[in-house]
Amino acid sequence: MSQLLHPLYRTSYSTHNTRAAMYKTLSSAVNWPQGLPEPGTTTVVCGDIEADGSVVVPHFIQSALQETTPGGATTTVVVLVSLTQTMSHYMHVMRKMGVNLARHSGRFQFVDALTPATVALELAGNGLVAAATRPHFAVPDRADWSGFFRWLAHAQPPGCTVVVDGLCSLLDQGLGCDFAVGFVDTCRRIIEAKAAQGAGAARLVATLFLDDFSEALARSLVRRSHYVLSFEALASGSSTEVAGQLTVVPGHLFCHIQKKEKEEEKQSAAEFKPALLHYRVSDTTVEFFSPGQSRMVL
């Protein structure tokens, strides 16, 4: 269940080109030229104990930091909301991928929803937490996110990619499915409002751990998303060549847009075909490929 158990967080990355090799097939399969969903969209990433969907969190972070406008400028801000890990954890993982988050301090914002705010302030005040690993926003009460919503809506620019890692932790904290759905709904409305300004590429990505307790939450989020990425173990079991499979399907919101545009007979109506990919986790890379295209088969 912990992200520390996933092979991605135990591997070694050293070059800038690693990310392109890892995710080129994935981005191509879902038609995301810069490795990111379209502005104004919500993407839900599902996984379980055998196939952890958080493998794509570093991909979304790095792709957003590298996203460019038509003029070539990089203006996207990444807001990472973590309910499962500390800032130092993500800095360590991204450094292995060749990304130093400390150098993106103006464009990378970390929201600590794991450490109680009082503890975080005390550690920072006593100098026990390095300045580079201190959160940009700490949630004082995990049952009250109103301050975070104001901060996200007013303090962050229109070009804002929000990644929520470990959404199911809200359920673990006893806050309930309705609370988690309300959290996503509010984030989604803020993102859609920013995207509507037309001045940046705002989007929302949320990871979700699937089990019997989160099934209702998953169903609710599918109806509130544009894309659903579902990581699953193979029925035949994993091997050194194939760790599992990823299914990418359109969420309810995308289907609604697609239906509306077709009814209006727009020539540029949204199109999206579900994609099925296998993936392999090795000591140095995570590779996505079409079924039957692993090195062992070739």
Side-chain angles (χ1 to χ4, degrees):
M1 182 177 297
S2 170
Q3 292 174 339
L4 288 174
L5 297 177
H6 197 281
L8 174 62
Y9 292 87
R10 301 196 299 267
T11 56
S12 176
Y13 302 95
S14 59
T15 67
H16 170 76
N17 293 326
T18 299
R19 193 268 305 172
M22 288 165 58
Y23 299 100
K24 181 178 180 180
T25 302
L26 171 60
S27 299
S28 176
V30 295
N31 194 26
W32 293 344
Q34 296 200 55
L36 293 165
E38 297 91 337
T41 58
T42 297
T43 300
V44 175
V45 182
C46 302
D48 56 28
I49 190 67
E50 296 182 342
D52 192 347
S54 62
V55 68
V56 293
V57 168
H59 162 67
F60 282 118
I61 294 174
Q62 186 171 24
S63 294
L65 289 174
Q66 294 176 346
E67 185 177 25
T68 58
T69 63
T74 54
T75 58
T76 303
V77 169
V78 179
V79 176
L80 174 61
V81 183
S82 178
L83 295 102
T84 57
Q85 300 290 350
T86 62
M87 173 68 168
S88 58
H89 168 80
Y90 294 101
M91 292 187 70
H92 177 68
V93 172
M94 297 305 296
R95 191 177 297 115
K96 288 183 176 180
M97 294 181 65
V99 179
N100 186 349
L101 291 178
R103 295 181 180 178
H104 297 277
S105 58
R107 297 180 52 230
F108 178 80
Q109 304 288 303
F110 180 71
V111 178
D112 188 350
L114 174 67
T115 309
T118 53
V119 175
L121 289 173
E122 182 179 354
L123 292 174
N126 293 333
L128 299 179
V129 178
T133 61
R134 293 174 188 171
H136 300 87
F137 187 94
V139 181
D141 181 358
R142 278 165 277 191
D144 181 9
W145 290 76
S146 58
F148 165 74
F149 294 140
R150 289 192 297 270
W151 176 80
L152 179 62
H154 303 296
Q156 300 307 312
C160 179
T161 293
V162 179
V163 180
V164 181
D165 193 15
L167 186 63
C168 277
S169 291
L170 294 175
L171 303 183
D172 297 338
Q173 295 163 12
L175 296 175
C177 179
D178 290 343
F179 184 92
V181 170
F183 170 83
V184 172
D185 278 344
T186 304
C187 289
R188 182 168 57 86
R189 286 193 293 269
I190 294 173
I191 289 301
E192 290 176 353
K194 288 181 178 294
Q197 297 178 26
R203 58 181 66 84
L204 173 65
V205 178
T207 68
L208 177 69
F209 182 87
L210 288 179
D211 57 17
D212 293 341
F213 300 101
S214 62
E215 184 177 349
L217 175 59
R219 287 199 302 267
S220 296
L221 293 183
V222 168
R223 297 186 60 84
R224 290 165 167 80
S225 65
H226 297 81
Y227 298 101
V228 179
L229 280 64
S230 180
F231 285 81
E232 301 173 285
L234 295 177
S236 58
S238 62
S239 68
T240 56
E241 292 297 323
V242 184
Q245 68 180 25
L246 166 64
T247 305
V248 186
V249 297
H252 180 79
L253 294 180
F254 188 97
C255 294
H256 177 73
I257 294 173
Q258 191 176 49
K259 179 180 178 182
K260 182 179 179 181
E261 291 184 345
K262 285 185 177 181
E263 289 175 349
E264 296 174 353
E265 298 182 350
K266 288 187 176 181
Q267 293 182 351
S268 59
E271 292 289 345
F272 180 80
K273 295 181 179 180
L276 174 64
L277 298 172
H278 285 174
Y279 67 96
R280 172 180 179 267
V281 181
S282 70
D283 291 338
T284 56
T285 62
V286 178
E287 299 171 277
F288 290 90
F289 48 87
S290 299
Q293 298 298 311
S294 70
R295 291 195 183 97
M296 181 173 65
V297 174
L298 296 175

